[in-house]
């Protein structure tokens, strides 16, 4: 397996948010450089898991089923990739937000 070439290198990551723990994010964000298009918070999977899951919103089901296309990161890493998520990080488990196509701003995601 080839090494991933991340959009941001370690020395480019600044301490924007601290104490949230880990999250899952897809390579569409961390490697390809897409902004977060959809974010939701579920019950954590492990001790330092924040419960946050970040997707660009362009991933197919087939893409998401391939484990190599996502990884666990510190929430701060994803905040550096897309600082627009920061105001929503305190939202409770069960929250979901999507980027509005027109305004580009996050809005509460409707149940589908």
């Amino acid at each position: 397996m080839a090494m991933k070439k991340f959009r941001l290198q370690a020395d480019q990551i600044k301490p924007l948010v601290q104490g949230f723990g880990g999250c899952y994010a897809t390579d569409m964000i961390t490697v390809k450089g897409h902004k977060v298009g959809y974010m939701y918070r579920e019950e954590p999977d492990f001790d330092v898991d924040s419960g946050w899951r970040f997707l660009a919103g362009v991933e197919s089901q087939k893409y998401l089923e391939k484990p190599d296309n996502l990884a666990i990161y510190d929430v701060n890493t994803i905040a550096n990739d897309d600082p627009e998520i920061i105001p929503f990080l305190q939202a409770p488990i069960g929250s979901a937000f999507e980027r509005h196509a027109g305004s580009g701003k996050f809005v509460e995601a409707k149940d589908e």
Side-chain angles (χ1 to χ4, degrees), residues 20-27 29-30 35-57 59 64 70-75 78 82 85 88-89 91-99 106 109:
F20 283 98
C23 65
Y24 290 92
T26 71
D27 287 356
I29 298 165
T30 59
K35 288 188 169 206
V36 173
Y38 183 72
M39 56 191 276
Y40 65 97
R41 194 172 193 184
E42 62 183 15
E43 289 290 338
D45 286 344
F46 50 91
D47 282 349
V48 295
D49 182 8
S50 67
W52 279 112
R53 311 297 179 244
F54 298 100
L55 298 99
E59 299 89 345
L64 292 171
L70 60 133
I72 298 168
Y73 301 93
D74 189 287
V75 171
I78 307 309
D82 189 349
I85 69 168
F88 303 92
L89 294 176
I93 290 169
S95 298
F97 303 94
E98 59 191 349
R99 194 177 294 275
F106 281 108

Side-chain angles (χ1 to χ4, degrees), residues 7-8 16 29-30 33-35 76-83:
R7 188 181 77 79
L8 294 177
L16 300 179
I29 298 165
T30 59
H34 287 268
K35 288 188 169 206
N76 184 63
T77 300
I78 307 309
N80 273 264
D81 279 307
D82 189 349

Side-chain angles (χ1 to χ4, degrees), residues 6 8-14:
F6 294 103
L8 294 177
Q9 300 307 305
D11 64 348
Q12 295 175 290
I13 295 176
K14 309 293 182 239

